[in-house]
Amino acid sequence: MAIDVFRQIGATTRAISSREVEGQLARVIVASRIYDADPTDLWDALTNIERIPRWFLPVSGDLRLGGHYQFEGNAGGEIIACEPPERFTVTWGMQGQVSWVTITLAEQAANRTELRLEHVAHVPDEMWNTYGPGAVGVGWDGGLLGLGLYLAGDSSVTPETAAEWHTTSDGRAFFSQSSAAWAAASIDAGTPPDEAHAAAAMTTAFYLGEG
């Protein structure tokens, strides 16, 4: 079954800002999306060690306040805030760098819940200027897509088939459009358009295995 890439990309709202964290300038990216689920079920899909691998990655650890987690072949960290079913914050350790991810849930209507994902990181200027927010944002778009498909019972793309899907026309279109959407958010945040588009081209090439 083909995925409506335009609809999936358009389902997410993106924003970029910066603030001081631990005495240093930190980049902040925010991705928000509304899901057809009540807050309790969405919270469970995000925090249940049995359900997370069905839409994201295999995970191990102690998923409670103060506990540690590890995604297979990916990030790991500590759960530093947990207020079910509304908000949790984790440290996000990857390749020797630690950042912070906060998920906030807000009920919009019956069986409609907004998920707001905020990722705060100290990003070296060289990396930010080269790849822009899409370096992280495109990956999160993929996670939000997987969550949406899982909640809808859509087996078009699963964690097991994701790698193969990346090489399909839909997969390539998704990552290209995601990168472009983060470039647009970067421009809205004040980045000169030529710089934002150049960074998006580098990010797109990376995700498509072309650079």
Side-chain angles (χ1 to χ4, degrees):
M1 184 184 298
I3 288 176
D4 187 337
V5 172
F6 284 100
R7 185 177 70 83
Q8 293 292 342
I9 294 296
T12 298
T13 300
R14 302 164 184 82
I16 300 161
S17 62
S18 61
R19 65 171 178 257
E20 186 175 299
V21 177
E22 297 184 349
Q24 301 179 55
L25 177 69
R27 309 287 186 174
V28 182
I29 71 164
V30 174
S32 301
R33 177 169 174 165
I34 294 176
Y35 291 100
D36 292 329
D38 64 61
T40 300
D41 184 50
L42 184 52
W43 177 272
D44 190 67
L46 292 163
T47 61
N48 186 322
I49 201 167
E50 300 296 329
R51 295 181 72 184
I52 294 170
R54 301 176 192 172
W55 62 270
F56 193 54
L57 290 168
V59 61
S60 59
D62 186 7
L63 304 191
R64 61 176 178 81
L65 183 62
H68 290 77
Y69 71 93
Q70 179 64 55
F71 286 113
E72 186 176 296
N74 204 281
E78 180 183 358
I79 300 165
I80 58 176
C82 186
E83 303 165 15
E86 297 177 353
R87 175 180 174 272
F88 67 84
T89 299
V90 300
T91 58
W92 190 262
M94 194 170 182
Q95 297 179 342
Q97 296 184 327
V98 177
S99 53
W100 301 266
V101 174
T102 297
I103 301 289
T104 305
L105 304 183
E107 187 172 21
Q108 302 298 299
N111 292 318
R112 296 272 289 173
T113 304
E114 181 184 53
L115 183 156
R116 181 182 186 274
L117 183 152
E118 178 188 79
H119 193 157
V120 181
H122 294 123
V123 184
D125 288 342
E126 181 180 359
M127 181 176 180
W128 184 264
N129 294 336
T130 300
Y131 293 101
V136 171
V138 172
W140 284 123
D141 276 357
L144 296 180
L145 169 66
L147 177 60
L149 295 176
Y150 165 68
L151 292 171
D154 185 340
S155 59
S156 300
V157 182
T158 67
E160 292 75 25
T161 63
E164 180 180 347
W165 182 74
H166 288 180
T167 66
T168 67
S169 58
D170 276 353
R172 293 175 66 84
F174 178 85
F175 289 112
S176 296
Q177 291 180 33
S178 170
S179 183
W182 282 106
S186 186
I187 292 168
D188 288 343
T191 303
D194 58 338
E195 295 180 13
H197 292 311
M202 293 291 289
T203 293
T204 300
F206 172 79
Y207 276 95
L208 297 183
E210 299 172 349

